[in-house]
Amino acid sequence: MTQDAACTESDVLVIGAGAAGLATAIFAARACPGLRVRCLDGARTLGAKILVSGGSRCNVTNRTVTERDFRGGSPRRIKAVLRAFPVDQTVAFFGELGVSLHEEAHGKLFPDSNRSRTVLEALLAECVRRKIDLQTSARVQAVRPDGQVFEVETADRIFRARAVVLATGGVALPKSGSDGFGYQLAARLGHTVVPPVPALVPLVLGTGPYAALSGVSHDVEVTVRDAGTTVRLRGALLWTHFGVSGPVILDASRHWLRAQQEARVASMSLNLLPGETPASVDAAMVAAAQAHPRGTLAGLLKSTLPGAVAEAWVSAEGLALSTPVSQVPRDQRKGLATRLTGTMLDVVGSRGFVQAEATAGGVSLDEVNPATMESVVCPGLYLVGEVLDVDGRLGGFNFQWAWSSGRVAGQALGRALAS
Ligand SMILES: Cc1cc2nc3c(=O)[nH]c(=O)nc-3n(C[C@H](O)[C@H](O)[C@H](O)COP(=O)(O)OP(=O)(O)OC[C@H]3O[C@@H](n4cnc5c(N)ncnc54)[C@H](O)[C@@H]3O)c2cc1C
C-alpha cells in the first residue's frame, strides 16, 4: 500500500508536521505497517520550531517529567498521556533513530551533537523509511467529516482520509507556521478553545530600574498572586531594556497573562534573596552590624546580589551602598529588608506570541480521550501537541508532551485502522 503522491486518499492525514505531527505519523506507521500516512504542512520548509528550539540545540525532554510540570488541562489526563510514553521510552526512541541524548543542568536532555538539526533530520529520515508522505506548502483551509471519511482542503486540492490528526501547534512564534488557525479548524468541528495567551515569554515593565540593569542576571524568587492562588517560582532572572526575562520569568509569565486575560487582578513580586523573609534579612543586618560595626551595605550584599542590583535597591530606600550597616536607621533597615524580599514588579504586558516559546490555552483537553487522543466530539479526529490546552514549563517538557501525545495517537490510529 505505498502512496502515490498524486493520490489524494490516505488512511491517516496529519495536519502539521511539527514535533507532535511527525511523532504521530511515525508511530502510526510503525504501529500498522502499510497504513497510508500523509502529513501536510503549510510551511515551505519543515521543522522551524525544532530547529530554533533550545538555542538551536533542542532540549528534547527532561530527566523527570510529571503532570506537575504542566498547566492547562486536567493533570489526571496529562498524567495518563505522559505515562503511556514516558521519558525512558522517549530516550530509547531517539536512540533507535540514531540520536543519543545527554543530561545537562536541571535535568534537561539534549542531543549529543548539540544540534537541533540532528533531531529534525532523524525524524524526517524515519518518515522516509516508513513511507510517510510529507508535503510542504500545503496549508489546510478546511476539514469536513464526510460519512466515514474526512475531506481536507488546501488551496489547490481536496484530500480524503479515514482519520485526521490536528497537530497544528499553538500561536507561539507564528512565523514558524503555527499561527493559531488550527484552533479555528477545531472549533468548526465542534471543539471548545480555551483562549490562548503567550507562555514562556519575557515580560514588559512599566516602571522600575530595569533599563539600567539590562544584561544583569541573578537568582530570585518570583511570586504571582491571583485571586486566591499563589504561584512561587525560583530561578534566574535577566533584566532587559524592556523589562524582565530569564527562566523564572518565562515560567511565571503564563500565570500573570492568564489572570489578565480572564480579567482577574494579578500581582507579581520579586524576592531578591530567595528563601529569606523581611524578618530574617532584618535580623541578618542587625547581626552584621554588631559583628562588624564598620561593615557597609555593599559588603553585606555583595555575596548575594550583583553590585548594580544592590545599588538600585539600596538607593531606592534612600541609602548608599557605602553606608555602614550599623548606621542605617531602624526604619530604613526594616524598609530595605522588606524591599529586598518583596518588590512589586510593574508588569504591563508581555513580548507577545512573537517571542513566546509556548502557548497557554488551546483545544480543551476534556474533549479528548487521553487513552487515544481521539476527539470525543468528532470521532475520527485526533489532536496532539501544543494545539491542546497543555503548556509545560521550561526544560524540555513541551517537546515531551508532543512526543507522548503523538505516540498515544499514533498507536491508537494503528489499532483503529489496522483493518
Ligand atoms: C524559540 C522556541 C524554543 C523552544 N525550545 C524548546 C525546547 O528546547 N524544548 C521544548 O520542550 N520545547 C521548546 N519549545 C516549544 C516547542 O517547540 C513546542 O511546544 C513544540 O514544537 C510544539 O510542537 P507541535 O508539533 O505541537 O507544534 P509546532 O511545532 O508549532 O508545529 C505545528 C505545525 O503545524 C503547521 N501548521 C499550522 N497550521 C497549519 C495548517 N492550517 N495547515 C497545515 N499546516 C499547519 C505549522 O506550519 C507547523 O509546522 C520552543 C519553542 C520556541 C518558539
Side-chain angles (χ1 to χ4, degrees), residues 109-129:
L109 300 188
F110 289 90
D112 287 347
S113 67
N114 283 317
R115 292 173 69 236
S116 48
R117 189 165 288 284
T118 313
V119 174
L120 177 62
E121 285 174 355
L123 291 166
L124 295 179
E126 180 69 356
C127 287
V128 172
R129 271 193 297 275

Side-chain angles (χ1 to χ4, degrees), residues 3-72:
Q3 271 184 111
D4 173 353
C7 169
T8 54
E9 308 269 332
S10 56
D11 296 310
V12 178
L13 191 148
V14 182
I15 307 173
L22 291 174
T24 308
I26 290 169
F27 287 119
R30 281 182 169 196
C32 181
L35 206 65
R36 297 167 305 163
V37 182
R38 170 171 285 135
C39 223
L40 303 180
D41 200 291
R44 267 185 299 172
T45 53
L46 293 179
K49 221 175 256 185
I50 294 177
L51 289 178
V52 298
S53 69
S56 302
R57 296 200 304 131
C58 188
N59 179 190
V60 175
T61 183
N62 198 285
R63 172 56 55 208
T64 313
V65 180
T66 77
E67 68 282 6
R68 290 185 296 281
D69 299 306
F70 297 85
R71 299 283 169 156

Side-chain angles (χ1 to χ4, degrees), residues 201-282:
V201 68
L203 295 174
V204 178
L205 300 184
T207 53
Y210 56 87
L213 298 175
S214 182
V216 176
S217 172
H218 55 110
D219 278 353
V220 299
E221 188 176 271
V222 167
T223 303
V224 185
R225 288 197 177 79
D226 151 30
T229 45
T230 300
V231 176
R232 205 163 268 127
L233 303 166
R234 264 193 204 191
L237 172 145
L238 172 68
W239 297 96
T240 71
H241 65 282
F242 55 80
V244 278
S245 186
V248 74
I249 294 295
L250 299 188
D251 279 333
S253 60
R254 61 100 60 219
H255 300 288
W256 193 89
L257 291 164
R258 170 59 74 214
Q260 197 203 34
Q261 189 273 327
E262 292 178 356
R264 294 193 306 271
V265 178
S267 68
M268 191 178 281
S269 67
L270 205 58
N271 183 344
L272 299 185
L273 305 171
E276 301 294 341
T277 62
S280 72
V281 174
D282 186 49

Side-chain angles (χ1 to χ4, degrees), residues 59-70 78-79 81-83 85-88 90 106-109 392-393 395-401 403-404:
N59 179 190
V60 175
T61 183
N62 198 285
R63 172 56 55 208
T64 313
V65 180
T66 77
E67 68 282 6
R68 290 185 296 281
D69 299 306
F70 297 85
I78 295 172
K79 182 177 178 179
V81 175
L82 295 172
R83 272 212 176 160
F85 192 61
V87 173
D88 56 342
T90 303
H106 308 293
K108 295 178 180 181
L109 300 188
R393 63 186 180 90
F397 302 98
N398 285 303
F399 274 139
Q400 184 59 51
W401 174 251
W403 315 133
S404 293

